[in-house]
Amino acid sequence: MKIQTTKPFDKDYDGLPEPIKDRIDKQLTLLLENPNHPSLMLKKIKGHPNIWEGRITKSYRFTFQISGEMYILRRIGTHDILKTP
C-alpha cells in the first residue's frame, strides 16, 4: 500500500504543532507496515461509506479512504474533523 494526501489533509497537517506532526508520521508508518496495529484503532465512520478513522493520539484523528493499493488521507486534526471526514 501507498499513501496519497488530499489538499484538505495537507492544509490540516501544516497547521498542527510539531510534536503532533512527529506522532502523525509515526502512525502513518504503522498504517503502511501493520494496519492492524492496536494503537491505530482503525474503524469505519458511520454514515460515510468507505471512509475510515485512525487514531494519532487521544485527541487527534485522521480520516482516509482505501482505493486499490492506496490510502487516500482526507483530514487530520481533533475530533471535530469527524463531522466532515
Side-chain angles (χ1 to χ4, degrees):
M1 296 288 277
K2 294 184 180 184
I3 287 180
Q4 177 182 340
T5 62
T6 60
K7 287 182 183 182
F9 180 92
D10 293 339
K11 184 177 178 184
D12 292 343
Y13 184 90
D14 288 343
L16 294 172
E18 287 302 318
I20 297 298
K21 288 181 182 179
D22 292 341
R23 180 67 183 195
I24 291 164
D25 296 342
K26 178 184 175 209
Q27 292 299 90
L28 294 179
T29 298
L30 278 177
L31 179 66
L32 291 172
E33 293 175 355
N34 180 11
N36 296 317
H37 193 280
S39 73
L40 289 169
M41 298 180 70
L42 300 182
K43 63 181 178 180
K44 284 189 175 183
I45 298 178
K46 292 180 184 175
H48 297 278
N50 198 31
I51 299 179
W52 294 72
E53 166 192 351
R55 182 179 175 154
I56 301 297
T57 67
K58 184 176 180 182
S59 301
Y60 284 86
R61 302 290 185 269
F62 67 100
T63 63
F64 65 98
Q65 289 176 278
I66 300 171
S67 179
E69 292 294 315
M70 188 75 61
Y71 292 117
I72 302 170
L73 304 179
R74 298 174 52 92
R75 299 291 312 273
I76 190 156
T78 60
H79 286 97
D80 292 340
I81 66 154
L82 299 178
K83 295 175 186 172
T84 57

